[in-house]
Amino acid sequence: MTRPPSAPVAHTPPGRSSGAPGAAFSRITGTGSYLPPRRLTNNDMVEMLAARGIETSDEWIVERTGIRARHFADDGVNASDLALPAARDALESAGRTASDVDLIIVATSTPDMVFPSTASILQHKLGVHGCAAFDLQAVCSGFVYALTVADSMVRSGSARCALVVGTEVFSRILDFNDRTTCVLFGDGAGAVLLEASATPGILAADLHADGRHLGILCTPGTVAGGQVSGTPLLKMDGPAVFKLAVGVLESAARAVLEKAGRSESDLDWLIPHQANIRIMQGTARKLKLPLEKLVATVDEHGNTSAASVPLALDVAVKSGRVKRGDTVMLEGVGGGFTWGAVLFDY
Ligand code: ACO
């Protein structure tokens, strides 16, 4: 059954201890993003790999993935450095300042350091102190997970203005001797401000993980005894990930629509994790969505893991495609194996 857009859905309004008067929901009030300036085209990657005696081509990369370019951060530029301008952008677009924020969640698999969290570092760089701040690690599903946690905290009354960021410097964990992975990823950051609201906002979320598939996508290294142990470089069984991703993106999409009492025809926009245009278009087709409703930035950004969904959302908002009142589905899928979807009215 399709509900009218204004009807309360999925979430039962909780008793609130704080937040905007009468607020029972959370709503995205601003979006932001940032890409490091160094842009590498596929032909730049061809040249870079040729210097190592490895062959690739623009044709192979475009045909298999849809990727034409990616951005890499310079040495010494960390995840928090990319998160800062994205966060400021989101705050500005919401008409807020950092002192309004009472919760910061940063989704990243490439944190500045083992600890403290990139969220604490970001808080300090924003010049505010005292609000809750923590990192969330769900690889490429990280932003969808983080938005779901922030929504729960806002609806429960433990936060009223949450800054939710996805930021990655995946170039740091790429094996530039492995052409099957190093051409796929890029660096960047995206952010949203999520505020308490009397009207929805976030309609429903659906999150999953299946640790049986740990090995198909991992960076199996850590620090121990003052040394790196294991392999701190990304490893992926691409075809296995592809197969799983196609199935779970469809099931999460259907599950989140059902939770919200909406149907595919209510969707104005689908913004899936930006890993591969073939996976994204396949998901849109299964949901019988015209490809015009699919937001794709993978061609220009590559796969920026936890940053990919908020980056694509911000591009779609700033370009005027996603407008207030539109119904949007975000989807993540990645290492863990993790996946999930969030449905919201913008
Ligand atoms: N340039 C040229 N040839 C290449 C390259 C390259 N960069 N990489 C691989 N090849 C070759 C392979 O060696 C292989 O050659 P062979 O047939 O002679 O052995 C051939 O191309 C085909 O390789 P496959 O791996 O089978 O190619 P496939 O069509 O599966 O595409 C890809 C690979 C793009 C990685 C695809 O599997 C994919 O997109 N997988 C999903 C990735 C994804 O969704 N990730 C999301 C999560 S990311 C995260 O969580 C961090």
Side-chain angles (χ1 to χ4, degrees):
M1 189 194 76
T2 303
R3 291 171 193 261
S6 57
V9 285
H11 298 320
T12 308
R16 297 181 61 82
S17 56
S18 65
F25 302 101
S26 77
R27 180 175 279 277
I28 293 174
T29 55
T31 66
S33 63
Y34 179 76
L35 290 163
R38 190 154 60 103
R39 177 177 179 273
L40 286 91
T41 63
N42 287 346
N43 283 328
D44 293 327
M45 295 301 291
V46 170
E47 242 178 73
M48 185 198 282
L49 297 195
R52 294 166 180 261
I54 298 167
E55 226 182 279
T56 187
S57 68
D58 177 53
E59 294 72 34
W60 190 94
I61 301 169
V62 172
E63 189 190 310
R64 301 288 173 130
T65 70
I67 297 167
R68 293 176 188 277
R70 74 287 291 142
H71 291 245
F72 283 167
D74 286 337
D75 290 349
V77 173
N78 292 322
S80 68
D81 299 312
L82 305 186
L84 182 63
R88 285 184 172 143
D89 190 15
L91 287 165
E92 194 188 327
S93 82
R96 295 286 188 190
T97 65
S99 56
D100 295 318
V101 171
D102 59 5
L103 169 66
I104 300 173
I105 308 180
V106 171
T108 186
S109 301
T110 48
D112 290 20
M113 49 182 97
V114 173
F115 72 80
S117 71
T118 303
S120 287
I121 298 168
L122 174 64
Q123 186 206 55
H124 183 57
K125 287 182 174 174
L126 282 166
V128 291
H129 306 101
C131 74
F134 62 92
D135 286 4
L136 189 152
Q137 219 279 45
V139 203
C140 299
S141 309
F143 184 79
V144 164
Y145 266 68
L147 191 59
T148 305
V149 172
D151 169 58
S152 301
M153 291 181 72
V154 170
R155 284 188 298 105
S156 73
S158 55
R160 60 185 303 279
C161 183
L163 178 63
V164 187
V165 184
T167 183
E168 300 284 12
V169 280
F170 252 56
S171 58
R172 302 289 149 72
I173 55 168
L174 295 179
D175 179 353
F176 287 98
N177 290 314
D178 177 6
R179 68 177 181 173
T180 68
T181 54
C182 73
V183 299
L184 305 176
F185 294 89
D187 302 338
V192 303
L193 205 67
L194 189 75
E195 298 194 52
S197 164
T199 54
I202 305 283
L203 302 172
D206 184 66
L207 302 180
H208 299 273
D210 186 343
R212 286 175 299 179
H213 306 292
L214 295 171
I216 63 171
L217 181 48
C218 53
T219 299
T222 187
V223 283
Q227 303 216 318
V228 172
S229 71
T231 309
L233 295 174
L234 183 145
K235 307 224 163 295
M236 179 167 75
D237 177 345
V241 171
F242 194 108
K243 210 169 145 201
L244 268 174
V246 169
V248 299
L249 285 171
E250 184 189 3
S251 64
R254 295 202 190 285
V256 81
L257 284 167
E258 195 181 332
K259 282 185 185 179
R262 301 268 179 119
S263 72
E264 290 84 343
S265 59
D266 294 322
L267 282 180
D268 294 301
W269 300 103
L270 173 66
I271 310 184
H273 173 47
Q274 310 281 313
N276 184 315
I277 194 70
R278 291 187 293 149
I279 296 176
M280 294 159 62
Q281 291 178 343
T283 305
R285 277 191 207 100
K286 285 183 174 179
L287 298 175
K288 300 205 165 36
L289 281 187
L291 291 183
E292 300 77 59
K293 292 188 173 189
L294 174 70
V295 174
T297 56
V298 67
D299 55 334
E300 266 300 308
H301 300 167
N303 179 348
T304 57
S305 191
S308 93
V309 168
L311 252 168
L313 172 63
D314 186 51
V315 167
V317 167
K318 297 265 167 59
S319 65
R321 295 176 76 195
V322 171
K323 296 185 184 61
R324 285 284 164 206
D326 283 356
T327 300
V328 183
M329 184 187 291
L330 308 180
E331 289 202 281
V333 59
F337 208 67
T338 55
W339 66 97
V342 173
L343 189 71
F344 66 94
D345 284 340
Y346 182 59

